[in-house]
Amino acid sequence: LSAAVNTYGVCGAATVNVANGVYNESLLLSNIPGASATNTLTIDGGDSSLTTLVHDGTTNLGTITLDNANYVTIRNIGARHTGTNGAAILVAGNSDYNTFSNNDLRVNVNTTTSLVSCITFTSNAGSSTAVPSDGDYNLISNNRMIGGYYGVRLYGSTTIINTNNRVIENE
């Protein structure tokens, strides 16, 4: 999926319905050609308790990573990050207008380091703490987040201000 979407993009609104199962891999979406307010990409797991991605952070810091990806919706997916650095969802670069909803996100519950969060916004997909992040108009809603030093980590700066991001109704 990553290779096809990152190479060929979308030419209309597209929905990917993910079959139930446990997938031991990560998902990296980057610079999706054709993505826009009308040409959106939705990845739907159907049920976050039955469709799960599990990743240890060896190839990507995020189990799900959006790197300069816009107009993506990730919903109804379980995402587990088992590594000591990274996130269940990593939002990098100028990733704007994305939605993360009804997901079950889990990372190490015993971590004592700020390198592990359920959702991390960063300026660089290769670093879970690169600041400032520059993601705008993202929605994080109705997710269940377990573990991590932070539930959601989003840092801006006085010159790069993250605007209109909403974090609502999460557990």
Side-chain angles (χ1 to χ4, degrees):
L1 176 63
S2 294
V5 169
N6 294 336
T7 302
Y8 303 109
V10 294
C11 58
T15 299
V16 176
N17 293 310
V18 183
N20 294 342
V22 176
Y23 301 91
N24 293 302
E25 58 187 281
S26 63
L27 175 66
L28 169 63
L29 299 175
S30 181
N31 296 307
I32 303 168
S36 68
T38 54
N39 295 344
T40 60
L41 173 63
T42 299
I43 300 174
D44 190 341
D47 184 333
S48 63
S49 68
L50 299 175
T51 307
T52 304
L53 287 173
V54 180
H55 184 61
D56 63 5
T58 55
T59 56
N60 296 309
L61 289 179
T63 301
I64 298 170
T65 300
L66 272 58
D67 184 14
N68 291 304
N70 303 316
Y71 300 102
V72 176
T73 296
I74 305 288
R75 67 179 179 213
N76 303 316
I77 290 181
R80 311 283 181 267
H81 187 279
T82 61
T84 57
N85 181 6
I89 296 177
L90 188 82
V91 183
N94 298 318
S95 293
D96 303 325
Y97 299 99
N98 299 299
T99 299
F100 309 98
S101 65
N102 300 310
N103 299 298
D104 186 357
L105 310 174
R106 297 175 189 240
V107 295
N108 185 341
V109 296
N110 297 314
T111 191
T112 58
T113 175
S114 61
L115 298 175
V116 178
S117 299
C118 286
I119 299 177
T120 294
F121 284 74
T122 180
S123 62
N124 180 337
S127 170
S128 60
T129 59
V131 293
S133 61
D134 191 16
D136 301 320
Y137 300 96
N138 294 290
L139 173 61
I140 300 166
S141 69
N142 300 304
N143 298 287
R144 184 173 189 213
M145 296 181 241
I146 297 176
Y149 193 83
Y150 302 109
V152 178
R153 182 181 190 275
L154 195 154
Y155 278 83
S157 73
T158 57
T159 57
I160 296 178
I161 301 169
N162 296 288
T163 58
N164 296 306
N165 291 300
R166 295 176 294 150
V167 180
I168 57 174
E169 302 293 327
N170 296 283
E171 176 185 340

